[in-house]
Amino acid sequence: MGVRVREIDVGRESDVLLPVLRNNLPGHEDDRQFRWLYLENPFGKARAWLAFDDADGAAVGAAAAFPRLMRVDHEDVLCWNLGDFAITPDRRSLGPAVALQRACLRDVLEGRVPFAYDHPSCNMMAVYRWLKISTTGAVVRHARLLRADDLVERRLGAGGVSRLVAWIGNAL
């Protein structure tokens, strides 16, 4: 399958991007979240690329880059957090995935963006290996539990005991 990849204007072409995301990635049902992530990001509008099937012109994949401000050697640097990479299941192969990711990374590889980072799945790592991009570090996310209610209810079920245990957990 041949594909052509092009950058889209996320504001004007969200009607083409959203179905690809909604059909292939969980969590894209909320228009408010999409608007914040893609259009109202405090560090700038997201950039997005779509892959189109040469045969029928259908949008078969998407990739995005979200601007993020990072501190590097005591300086603020605007970089990209890569995400929302998706290829429709019946069109998944290394060819379209590589073409899409290569387009997404072009500005980084050509030096217009200082660096990008990703939280890749195992399948995505195959695309990066094909592009000869290796892992250069790891991100460790630290989170602090603020309320125990949901965690306790998932473990113990709903009811009076759960409420009591959650109350004690929240107090601690």
Side-chain angles (χ1 to χ4, degrees):
M1 169 185 80
V3 297
R4 85 183 144 75
V5 176
R6 72 172 174 84
E7 186 171 1
I8 65 163
D9 180 310
V10 294
R12 288 196 313 248
E13 297 178 274
S14 63
D15 60 322
V16 182
L17 174 61
L18 274 167
V20 175
L21 297 177
R22 287 181 175 151
N23 292 332
N24 296 287
L25 296 173
H28 284 283
E29 297 77 26
D30 185 353
D31 287 339
R32 291 175 304 154
Q33 181 182 358
F34 176 85
R35 200 170 42 256
W36 178 87
L37 187 60
Y38 280 84
L39 302 171
E40 298 168 2
N41 180 332
F43 303 113
K45 196 163 84 169
R47 299 196 39 203
W49 294 261
L50 285 174
F52 297 91
D53 188 320
D54 284 338
D56 62 9
V60 298
F66 307 105
R68 291 292 184 267
L69 194 61
M70 302 284 277
R71 185 157 282 276
V72 179
D73 291 331
H74 307 291
E75 289 187 39
D76 290 337
V77 177
L78 193 63
C79 65
W80 284 353
N81 178 6
L82 304 178
D84 284 355
F85 190 90
I87 305 275
T88 57
D90 61 331
R91 314 289 174 96
R92 283 185 189 148
S93 70
L94 196 54
V98 167
L100 187 57
Q101 195 66 359
R102 185 175 282 138
C104 183
L105 288 169
R106 185 166 291 121
D107 283 356
V108 175
L109 297 174
E110 293 177 358
R112 288 185 290 278
V113 174
F115 70 93
Y117 65 97
D118 195 353
H119 307 281
S121 65
C122 291
N123 290 339
M124 194 66 205
M125 284 306 297
V127 174
Y128 283 123
R129 279 192 296 278
W130 185 262
L131 291 169
K132 300 194 180 350
I133 297 172
S134 60
T135 301
T136 56
V139 174
V140 177
R141 180 174 288 182
H142 297 275
R144 182 174 167 189
L145 182 64
L146 298 178
R147 296 197 50 84
D149 303 72
D150 291 339
L151 179 66
V152 170
E153 189 171 314
R154 278 196 306 270
R155 304 273 180 170
L156 301 178
V161 172
S162 289
R163 282 193 297 275
L164 176 63
V165 172
W167 181 83
I168 293 168
N170 291 338
L172 293 174

